[in-house]
Amino acid sequence: MPAGMMIPARNMPSIIGVNGNAGGFGSSSGLALGQIMFQPNMMEGQLHRLDMTQNTPEGDMARIRDDEFDSTNTKSGSENQDGASGDDQDPRPKKKRYHRHTQHQIQEMEAFFKECPHPDDKQRKELSRELGLEPLQVKFWFQNKRTQMKTQHERHENTQLRNENEKLRADNMRYREALSNASCPNCGGPTAIGEMSFDEHHLRLENARLREEIDRISAIAAKYVGKPVVNYPLISAPMPPRPLDLGVGNFGGQPGIGGEIYGAGDLLRSITAPTEADKPMIIELAVAAMEELVRMAQMDEPLWMSSLDGTNAVLDEDEYVRIFPRGIGPKPTGFKCEASRESAVVIMNHINLVEYLMDVNQWSTLFSGIVSRALTLEVLSTGVAGNYNGALQVVIYMTAEFQLPTPLVPTRESYFVRYCKQHADGTWAVVDVSLDNLRPSPGARCRRRPSGCLIQEMLNGYSKVTWVEHVEVDDRGVHNLYKQLVSSGHAFGAKRWVATLDRQCERLASAMATNIPAGDVGVITNQEGRKSMMKLAERMVISFCAGVSASTAHTWTTLSGTGADDVRVMTRKSVDDPGRPPGIVLSAATSFWLPVPPKRVFDFLRDESTRNEWDILSNGGVVQEMAHIANGRDTGNCVSLLRVNSANSSQSNMLILQESCTDQTASFVIYAPVDIVAMNVVLNGGDPDYVALLPSGFAVLPDGTGAHVGGMEEAAGGSLLTVAFQILVDSVPTAKLSLGSVATVNNLIACTVERIKASLSCESA
């Protein structure tokens, strides 16, 4: 057929039945005309049929017409459109006769459609044979039925979406109206939820505080002048000044807390990241805590009074409440206040020091003797200009699990926000304050009032640090042996934090030193070897400190009836840890008092010449120092590699890695047997992470009764010594622990204690 040729109406197959339905392709359910006319498959079939009409010879056309007539004549005569029964009346092509499907045919196809909307050729032929229809008729009916169902489904979805859209539009208008009338409850200025940055919020709070101060001064001056002195324009309608209520509820103590030292509730299990509703309150709390910390670090009398011996600053609690009435609420019943302040100059750049304090992993490593576990929940603000200025972090240390190196003092868990800010004079400040008021925990035994440090830059990479530690704690779970030390503030106070920081800064400076004199015997001059050995020793110290405390992660069992000093044991399985030998590890620890100054105890334990007096595992062999690395000004701060020359020629010699460290608040002697081949790799700068260690050692603390004017070397009074061993009792992790192994370790620690007591009592005599 030539392009553009019109098809005569008589040659167009009729697709509209007598009563408006789609004849031949429709159904009694009545598809709309538009749905039928615009079906591509259907129109394609019709056009194909038209092309056949134009290109088929006359004789063939007659045969086709006869076939079509026969197929339609088998149906009910009442369904024919005009009642004609052949083409003998008119030799010209007649309009094809179509019929409506019967109710039975429609019901059968509807039922089949529910089970199979897309029948294949075989199914269509079988269905057409059963219903007396042509396969093409069945095919067109299913196409139209699918189109009908799709249209109905889309119409239903459009109605639902239209309703939801109208609902969202109404909510949006309501929220816009509410936000247009919103104002900050503290500064009175306009605000928009989610659109104000932390720094802008901080500035608004500062502006509100300054206005309040101006109003107060103006009111005082008005008494003398007779009229207000200052009149400044208001951004919005004036509102009554509202203080920063840092505590929304009373955090009260619970009766009976502190009765159990072990098995304490793990605060980490009940703490989650802050919600969006909590964040504005956290920001206000952090800003107010920063202001309080700076004032407490800089003020003297009457807030801080000198102690009787003149060595410490004592907080006047009444004066504190008067100066800072907007604290985190009153002190809970049964809690005691511990407040202290200490200053020191440390060998670390102020920027590096801030980074150590704001990185939870580096911070917990730096203070491994104090911090048992640490975790950052969420960072609320990343700071300004890429540094930590204005950085706001929620930090949780199991939650903040502060520890003493003994199983006799419960760890202190704390959930707090940490805020870092650079002030106008160049001084940095890092402050912590508890968030217990957001999620009060009935089992909490400690909360931190604003505590932290001010860091001032000095020449030659040094920094001056002023530390303030202010906590309220329920210390009824502390063993009587440590009561005096804890109550004196030396156990968890600012002096211990500063002393630890000073010692660790010297250790870091030693690790980075390059000008090592080569003349001394045993000094490791290889830079990479020094770093690897110090990294290995650092891991040993962290493992020891974390394994000797009364952490909530530990389950200590007391072995009663072993003498005056009870021994506590626990077992741990070591599996797939390259830093530990695989198997069952039995830990044992005991703490006791010695009538000897801490300095003398420390020197006795770290001296390799006196080691065979207490070390049973050396079997009386001579201990010789093979290599050492100095870690600071004090000669006691060093990492050593010791060799035990066995007295029995049939036994091989043993290597021991040892680190000794001391400051004015605590001393440690920690050691572990090491493999000779592995240590050769480390000394040549190899990776120390794959050296298996089971550290044992000693923690020496003052008993809290003597003066500590010049540090450990001048401390009077007695010492509190903790002895801890880790023994691999079985190399199979699934093996059962035998009572014989427990008895052996118990005898080992008991004999060691007796030897130490005997040796030191002879010295003191």
Side-chain angles (χ1 to χ4, degrees), residues 572-589:
R572 285 178 288 184
K573 292 183 179 180
S574 176
V575 182
D576 296 331
D577 185 356
R580 290 178 178 272
I584 297 180
V585 178
L586 181 62
S587 300

Side-chain angles (χ1 to χ4, degrees), residues 73-93:
N73 198 34
T74 58
K75 313 298 182 293
S76 173
S78 62
E79 296 175 355
N80 292 342
Q81 188 175 9
D82 54 5
S85 59
D87 57 352
D88 53 346
Q89 297 179 1
D90 191 350
R92 293 176 303 172

